């Protein structure tokens, strides 16, 4: 028994597997604008005559193919698509060193520069971005040095850095500028003792604005003196922040910006200022007066995240020139700061020039794209196409490495809106390569309404005397109104008088239990399968409960309307499984079955049967006799032996085992349905011995739903019988009188006078 149940359930799963959810139907969109925001697969039918009786306005929103099958022409489907428009597309610069200088603003390394994207929810818009590392591109380098006492030996070697670095950088670019600044620590008190020749500590000094004069750099550095500090970490983060945000004082141009940070110590960061009583967070603004940072005693050190933001905003690439002792610390810091490098200083900074050149080459050989903050609901994806066919996706799609001057690399950028922003206004985002001043400006327009929305008629008479706007073939009701034509107020929805008109034949079921009564009109429920629908005035019709053949609705040769198969041409029968094509029955004289009166079955074969016209129905008396002899059911089950012994019955396992046309004697294929909606198949023939033979498939072909119902019924019967038996057993085992509740306790208490019955005492 259990095996049969399992088999039945498996068959049910095969027959009634639920397809992928239709998001368009599920969204229950009341207007075209709501519909197209659900997803790119959804369209809206504007045809005023599209809806069938009982279908809600939201049924206009469906997948495009489904709308076509339901009879909505392409011209009546609203399905806007996204688009893109390039507004500025200046080609990247192609030139060689020595061809003459160009102004930095005339050099282009990224293409395109400006475009507009129109985004529909769920539909990505992609564009190509090209980057080329320009030849002879200008460079600004600012050298920021720790002047604490431990850096005394390093200062001596940096004094000649200007002219030497200018000479080496001329091999890379003809337009190079250099600047110098120094830092120690927040000024609390002078830690230098009397025998040390040092200045009092300071947070940051801008000593030399960016210049092309290397000798001036040497002279200025030669005038500097070291200072001291109370603890090992230095206040370098204060200095880096001021160098990044004080562009006018430093002299930064819109070119490659390099910041060389040289120290032999660690660093203080946000929160350490509390040690000196400073609690205000760093404000990230410029506070230079006479080239000195004046607010070090007022603001705390910046955090690492704050520094990363400001360095990125100002397109500054950082080179940490660090002594070997602190290299692990700054390697960790490098991992947090994009477009930064770490180099190891020798004991006296004698290798600083090679360190800078190597770090610059490392930084310039990699391009990393970053974008500004995205609007809510917008996502961005990157794909890279780098040198030598190297590709990347995801986070790796943002970068290309090992590129040289003059190399071109490409990126594919896809932007998708998952929803319309609340205000629906255009948004602007920017994409730029880290450490470079160029960027792509992208304006995002969001498709939140259909084109037909523009032609809507407010307070239209179609919408029940002006209670809504008629747009896109439907009424968009005013607030407080509902119904297909906005004919009802929300206060009337639960009225019993309105519900009466939703009951078929004054029955008790509202909308046949397949819908909701809205304004006295049935709005049919939606099915999980988008191909299946209820319809009709009382939602009494559907398009999925018609007869099936070979597990196909209407045999695959028709469509279901209100539970009746409407067959295609040349097909008939309750399941459209009987062919009316007679071409294979034409004799050489072009007459059907040679002019004789023959039966034509669903395989279009000629069968002799003098009383039957061209049909797919077998005589009733055969059906009743086959039913009673093979299955013990039907109208003749009580008189079967008497009335139905005129043929030999042969059972076969499946339809493939039934005799097929082409034999020497006439053969008739029959398909019949019993009272339980189960189909049975058999053939009837008279063999060469004039014996009547019936071959019948031994198992009934029942709908999966019915099989499940029978299984459920059987299980419930078994369950009920077990429960009743359990009850009877407990009743027999009861130790108390069944006529009195054992937990009942009377509210009456009785007390007896202890002197009752005794004589009174004589006083």
């Amino acid at each position: 028994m259990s095996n049969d149940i399992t088999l039945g359930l498996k068959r049910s799963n095969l027959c009634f597997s639920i397809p992928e959810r239709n998001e368009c139907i599920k969204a229950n969109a009341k207007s075209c604008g709501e519909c197209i925001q659900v997803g790119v697969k959804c369209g809206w039918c504007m045809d005023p005559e599209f809806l069938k009786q009982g279908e809600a306005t939201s049924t206009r929103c469906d997948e495009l193919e489904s709308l076509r099958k339901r009879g909505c022409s392409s011209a009546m489907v609203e399905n806007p698509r996204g688009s893109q428009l390039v507004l500025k597309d200046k080609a990247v610069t192609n030139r060689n060193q020595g061809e003459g200088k160009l102004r930095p603003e005339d050099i282009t390394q990224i293409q395109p520069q400006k475009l507009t994207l129109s985004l529909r929810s769920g539909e990505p818009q992609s564009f190509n971005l090209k980057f080329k590392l320009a030849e002879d591109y200008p460079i600004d380098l600012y050298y920021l040095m720790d002047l604490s006492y431990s850096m005394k030996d390093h200062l001596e070697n940096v004094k000649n850095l200007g002219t030497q670095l200018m000479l080496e950088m001329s091999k890379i670019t003809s337009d190079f500028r250099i600047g110098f600044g120094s830092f120690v620590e927040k000024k609390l008190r002078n830690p230098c003792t009397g025998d040390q020749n040092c200045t009092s500590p300071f947070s940051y000094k801008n000593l030399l604005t960016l210049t092309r004069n290397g000798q001036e750099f040497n002279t200025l550095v030669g005038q500097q003196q070291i200072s001291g500090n109370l603890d090992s970490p230095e206040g370098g983060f204060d200095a880096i922040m001021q160098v990044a945000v004080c562009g006018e004082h430093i002299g930064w141009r819109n070119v490659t910006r390099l910041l060389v940070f040289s120290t032999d110590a660690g660093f203080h960061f946000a929160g350490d200022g509390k040690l000196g009583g400073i609690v205000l967070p760093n404000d990230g603004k410029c506070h230079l007066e006479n080239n000195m940072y004046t607010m070090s005693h007022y603001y705390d050190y910046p955090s690492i995240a704050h520094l990363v933001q400001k360095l990125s905003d100002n397109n500054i690439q950082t080179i940490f020139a660090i002594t070997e002792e602190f290299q692990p610390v700054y390697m960790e810091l490098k991992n947090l700061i994009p477009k930064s490098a770490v180099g190891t200083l020798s004991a006296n900074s004698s290798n600083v020039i090679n360190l800078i050149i190597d770090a610059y080459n490392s930084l310039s050989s990699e391009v990393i794209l970053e974008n500004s903050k995205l609007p809510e609901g917008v996502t961005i994806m990157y794909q890279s196409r780098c040198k030598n066919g190297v590709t990347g996706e995801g986070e790796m799609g943002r970068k290309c490495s090992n590129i040289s001057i003059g190399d071109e690399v490409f990126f594919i950028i896809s932007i998708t809106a998952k929803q319309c922003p609340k205000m629906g206004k255009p948004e602007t985002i920017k994409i730029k390569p880290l450490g470079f001043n160029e960027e792509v400006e992208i304006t995002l327009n969001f498709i939140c309404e259909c084109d037909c929305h523009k032609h809507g008629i407010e307070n239209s008479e179609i919408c029940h005397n002006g209670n809504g706007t008629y747009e896109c073939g439907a009424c968009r009701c005013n607030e407080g109104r509902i119904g297909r034509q906005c004919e009802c107020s929300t206060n009337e929805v639960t009225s019993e008088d309105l519900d009466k008109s939703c009951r078929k034949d004054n029955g008790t079921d509202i909308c046949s239990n397949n819908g909701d009564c809205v304004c006295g009109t049935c709005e049919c429920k939606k099915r999980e399968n988008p191909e299946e629908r209820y319809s009709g005035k009382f939602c009494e019709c559907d398009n999925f409960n018609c007869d099936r053949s070979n597990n196909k609705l209407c045999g695959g040769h028709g469509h279901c309307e209100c539970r009746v198969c409407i067959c295609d041409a040349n097909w008939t029968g309750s399941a459209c499984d009987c062919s009316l094509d007679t071409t294979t029955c034409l004799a050489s004289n072009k007459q059907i079955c040679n002019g004789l009166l023959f039966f034509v079955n669903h395989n279009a074969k000629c069968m002799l049967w003098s009383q039957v016209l061209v049909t797919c129905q077998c005589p009733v008396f055969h059906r009743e006799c086959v039913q009673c002899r093979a299955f013990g059911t039907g109208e003749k089950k009580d008189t079967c032996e008497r009335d139905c012994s005129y043929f030999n019955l042969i059972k076969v396992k499946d339809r493939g085992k039934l005799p097929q046309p082409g034999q020497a004697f006439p053969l008739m294929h029959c398909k019949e349905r019993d009272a339980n909606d189960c189909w049975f198949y058999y053939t009837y023939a008279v063999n060469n011995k004039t014996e009547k033979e019936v071959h019948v498939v031994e198992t009934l072909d029942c709908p999966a739903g019915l099989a499940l119902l029978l299984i459920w019924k059987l299980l419930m019967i078994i369950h009920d019988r077990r429960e009743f038996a359990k009850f009877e057993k407990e009743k027999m085992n009861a130790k108390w009188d069944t006529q009195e509740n054992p937990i009942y306790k009377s509210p009456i208490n009785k007390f007896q006078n202890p002197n009752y019955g005794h004589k009174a005492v004589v006083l």
Side-chain angles (χ1 to χ4, degrees):
M1 179 65 190
S2 61
N3 292 336
D4 293 339
I5 294 175
T6 303
L7 180 60
L9 292 174
K10 287 182 177 178
R11 287 178 177 171
S12 172
N13 290 336
L14 287 173
C15 294
F16 289 88
S17 59
I18 297 176
E20 184 180 351
R21 283 177 174 264
N22 185 328
E23 291 182 349
C24 313
I25 292 291
K26 183 182 176 183
N28 202 31
K30 298 295 192 300
S31 67
C32 186
E34 291 181 18
C35 179
I36 64 171
Q37 292 183 47
V38 175
V40 70
K41 295 181 180 179
C42 303
W44 178 272
C45 185
M46 300 181 292
D47 187 352
E49 306 299 326
F50 174 70
L51 296 182
K52 295 181 180 179
Q53 191 173 32
E55 291 184 334
T57 301
S58 59
T59 315
R60 292 181 178 274
C61 183
D62 204 344
E63 293 183 353
L64 302 175
E65 181 62 19
S66 180
L67 289 176
R68 185 189 65 78
K69 289 181 179 179
R70 292 168 58 196
C72 189
S73 65
S74 299
M76 299 301 291
V77 174
E78 187 76 9
N79 179 34
R81 314 305 296 181
S83 61
Q84 53 185 269
L85 177 64
V86 178
L87 302 177
K88 187 177 180 181
D89 193 29
K90 184 180 177 182
V92 293
T93 302
N94 292 303
R95 72 183 183 115
N96 295 317
Q97 186 175 357
E99 287 187 359
K101 287 187 178 181
L102 289 175
R103 294 181 305 170
E105 56 268 27
D106 294 331
I107 300 175
T108 303
Q109 297 184 111
I110 192 168
Q111 179 186 4
Q113 296 81 36
K114 191 174 184 179
L115 66 159
T116 296
L117 302 182
S118 295
L119 300 178
R120 178 178 170 184
S121 296
E123 181 187 23
Q125 286 296 318
S126 301
F127 65 94
N128 294 326
L129 185 148
K130 180 195 293 187
F131 177 85
K132 179 181 179 181
L133 190 61
E135 302 88 345
D136 196 26
Y137 196 73
I139 299 174
D140 284 352
L141 184 147
Y142 192 84
Y143 198 93
L144 183 59
M145 186 174 182
D146 176 6
L147 287 187
S148 60
Y149 195 81
S150 58
M151 291 287 287
K152 180 179 180 181
D153 293 339
H154 295 266
L155 180 61
E156 291 300 319
N157 281 302
V158 175
K159 289 179 180 180
N160 296 319
L161 177 65
T163 53
Q164 295 177 17
L165 189 58
M166 292 289 292
L167 180 63
E168 291 298 323
M169 293 299 290
S170 66
K171 300 175 183 178
I172 298 174
T173 177
S174 60
D175 189 357
F176 177 72
R177 300 196 311 169
I178 189 170
F180 183 78
S182 60
F183 69 92
V184 181
E185 182 57 279
K186 292 182 181 295
K187 186 176 181 180
L188 300 176
R189 65 183 179 87
N190 192 345
C192 299
T193 59
D195 59 342
Q196 292 177 334
N197 183 21
C198 66
T199 62
S200 60
F202 55 91
S203 186
Y204 165 66
K205 289 181 184 179
N206 174 33
L207 297 170
L208 178 64
T209 300
L210 290 163
T211 178
R212 291 183 176 87
N213 190 341
Q215 186 59 47
E216 184 181 358
F217 180 94
N218 294 348
T219 302
L220 187 66
V221 174
Q223 298 172 356
Q224 302 307 307
Q225 289 183 315
I226 54 89
S227 181
N229 191 11
L230 292 174
D231 56 2
S232 176
E234 311 292 1
F237 277 14
D238 270 343
I240 293 176
M241 177 63 75
Q242 293 303 300
V243 171
V245 299
C246 298
E248 293 184 1
H249 295 80
I250 305 301
W252 292 120
R253 298 176 296 171
N254 284 329
V255 298
T256 298
R257 299 175 176 180
L258 300 179
L259 169 61
V260 179
F261 182 85
S262 176
T263 185
D264 65 345
F267 47 82
H268 284 295
F269 52 88
D272 288 353
K274 292 180 180 179
L275 299 173
I278 302 172
V279 296
L280 282 178
N282 194 286
D283 65 351
K285 296 180 180 179
C286 181
H287 296 287
L288 291 185
E289 292 183 12
N290 298 321
N291 287 319
M292 289 286 292
Y293 179 39
T294 59
M295 301 297 286
S296 64
H297 65 288
Y298 191 75
Y299 289 117
D300 193 6
Y301 304 98
S303 66
I304 295 176
H306 201 180
L307 272 186
V308 170
Q309 177 195 346
K310 293 301 180 180
L311 290 171
S312 175
D313 290 346
N314 292 280
N315 305 312
I316 296 174
Q317 303 176 66
T318 309
I319 300 172
F320 295 105
I322 309 300
T323 55
E324 186 174 3
E325 178 186 0
F326 286 93
Q327 188 181 32
V329 175
Y330 282 89
M331 286 298 294
E332 292 295 327
L333 182 61
K334 168 189 173 296
N335 294 333
L336 300 174
I337 302 179
K339 294 292 284 185
S340 63
V342 175
T344 304
L345 281 173
S346 59
N348 55 6
S349 292
S350 59
N351 68 331
V352 67
I353 292 180
N354 291 334
L355 184 154
I356 292 173
I357 298 297
D358 292 343
Y360 169 74
N361 289 332
S362 173
L363 291 173
S364 62
S365 68
E366 183 177 59
V367 56
I368 304 174
L369 297 184
E370 70 166 0
N371 53 266
S372 59
K373 184 178 179 181
L374 298 173
E376 184 178 359
V378 174
T379 59
I380 188 167
M381 297 290 293
Y382 293 87
Q383 288 182 310
S384 59
R385 300 288 183 268
C386 307
K387 285 179 61 178
N388 303 321
V390 177
T391 61
E393 295 184 353
E395 284 303 308
M396 296 304 297
R398 292 176 175 264
K399 65 172 63 177
C400 280
S401 302
N402 300 318
I403 61 175
S404 304
I405 292 176
D407 288 340
E408 291 184 353
V409 294
F410 301 87
F411 298 88
I412 301 173
I413 301 172
S414 296
I415 299 178
T416 307
K418 296 183 179 180
Q419 62 189 36
C420 278
K422 294 179 180 179
M423 301 301 294
K425 295 181 179 179
E427 299 276 358
T428 299
I429 63 172
K430 295 181 179 180
I431 299 175
K432 70 174 184 178
L434 280 172
F436 295 86
N437 64 303
E438 298 175 63
E439 62 187 16
V440 182
E441 182 180 309
I442 306 169
T443 300
L444 305 179
N445 294 320
F446 300 92
I447 302 175
C448 302
E449 282 290 356
C450 302
D451 290 338
C452 56
H453 169 73
K454 303 174 185 176
H455 309 293
I457 304 173
E458 295 184 2
N459 303 320
S460 171
E461 289 296 320
I462 299 176
C463 303
H464 196 73
N465 301 323
N467 284 315
T469 300
Y470 186 72
E471 62 179 48
C472 305
C475 286
R476 181 186 285 193
C477 299
N478 296 336
E479 187 174 354
R481 304 294 299 187
I482 57 173
R484 190 185 289 188
Q485 274 79 43
C486 311
E487 64 271 25
C488 281
S489 168
T490 52
N491 298 327
E492 301 172 350
V493 174
T494 57
S495 171
E496 293 186 5
D497 293 335
L498 293 175
D499 286 350
K500 288 181 181 179
S501 58
C502 294
R503 294 188 177 99
K504 185 178 181 181
D505 300 328
N506 292 324
T508 58
D509 293 338
I510 294 179
C511 300
S512 307
N513 289 328
N514 295 324
D516 300 314
C517 188
V518 180
C519 299
T521 303
C522 286
E523 287 193 0
C524 302
K525 295 178 181 177
K526 298 175 183 177
R527 299 273 297 176
E528 198 72 39
N529 184 346
E531 301 296 329
E532 299 177 354
R533 289 181 174 81
Y534 293 111
S535 61
K537 182 178 180 181
F538 303 100
C539 302
E540 73 279 11
C541 295
D542 62 60
N543 66 345
F544 53 88
N545 272 322
C546 289
D547 290 340
R548 294 175 179 265
S549 178
N550 293 327
N551 274 337
K552 294 181 179 179
L553 191 67
C554 298
H557 302 300
H559 62 279
C560 181
E561 288 187 8
C562 204
R563 304 186 180 184
V564 176
C565 284
I566 307 299
C567 300
D568 298 337
N570 289 327
W571 291 92
T572 188
S574 64
C576 299
D577 56 349
C578 297
S579 174
L580 296 178
D581 185 8
T582 59
T583 55
T584 58
C585 296
L586 292 176
S588 58
N589 59 6
K590 303 300 181 182
Q591 291 185 338
I592 296 177
C593 300
N594 205 24
L596 300 174
L597 189 58
F598 277 79
F599 169 76
V600 183
N601 80 337
H602 63 281
N603 288 318
K605 301 292 183 180
C606 294
M607 304 298 163
L608 179 61
W609 190 258
S610 59
Q611 301 299 322
V612 182
L613 299 178
V614 180
T615 177
C616 285
Q617 298 295 325
C618 294
V620 174
F621 58 85
H622 284 337
R623 180 187 69 206
E624 294 173 348
C625 284
V626 171
Q627 192 175 358
C628 77
R629 289 191 59 182
F631 308 107
T633 60
E635 298 179 5
K636 289 185 176 291
K637 65 179 181 179
D638 297 329
T639 60
C640 194
E641 187 174 351
R642 183 192 70 192
D643 298 339
C644 299
S645 58
Y646 61 89
F647 60 84
N648 296 326
L649 181 70
I650 304 164
K651 293 186 177 181
V652 297
K653 289 187 176 181
D654 53 57
R655 294 172 65 182
K657 303 295 184 182
L658 291 173
Q660 300 300 315
Q663 300 178 2
F665 47 86
L667 177 69
M668 176 168 42
H669 275 255
C670 301
K671 170 188 174 183
E672 300 292 350
R673 183 164 56 183
D674 63 15
N676 293 323
D677 264 354
C678 295
W679 294 94
F680 59 95
Y681 303 88
Y682 65 94
T683 62
Y684 178 84
V686 180
N687 62 22
N688 294 331
K689 299 178 182 180
T690 68
E691 297 174 337
K692 300 178 180 63
E693 288 184 353
V694 171
H695 288 72
V696 61
V697 179
E698 62 184 4
T699 57
L700 294 169
D701 185 6
C702 298
L706 180 61
L708 280 178
L709 183 62
L710 294 175
I711 293 171
W712 175 81
K713 183 73 172 177
L714 177 62
L715 293 175
M716 290 304 297
I717 291 174
I718 295 173
H719 175 75
D720 290 345
R721 287 180 177 176
R722 286 177 177 174
E723 290 296 317
F724 183 74
K726 182 179 178 181
F727 169 75
E728 288 292 328
K729 183 178 180 180
E730 290 177 350
K731 181 179 176 182
M732 292 176 63
N733 292 336
K735 301 298 183 182
W736 43 273
D737 185 358
T738 58
Q739 294 183 358
E740 181 179 337
N741 191 333
I743 64 174
Y744 173 78
K745 185 176 181 180
S746 174
I748 301 173
N749 292 322
K750 296 180 180 181
F751 299 93
Q752 185 173 351
N753 189 334
N755 291 324
Y756 177 76
H758 296 278
K759 292 182 179 180
V761 178
V762 179
L763 298 177

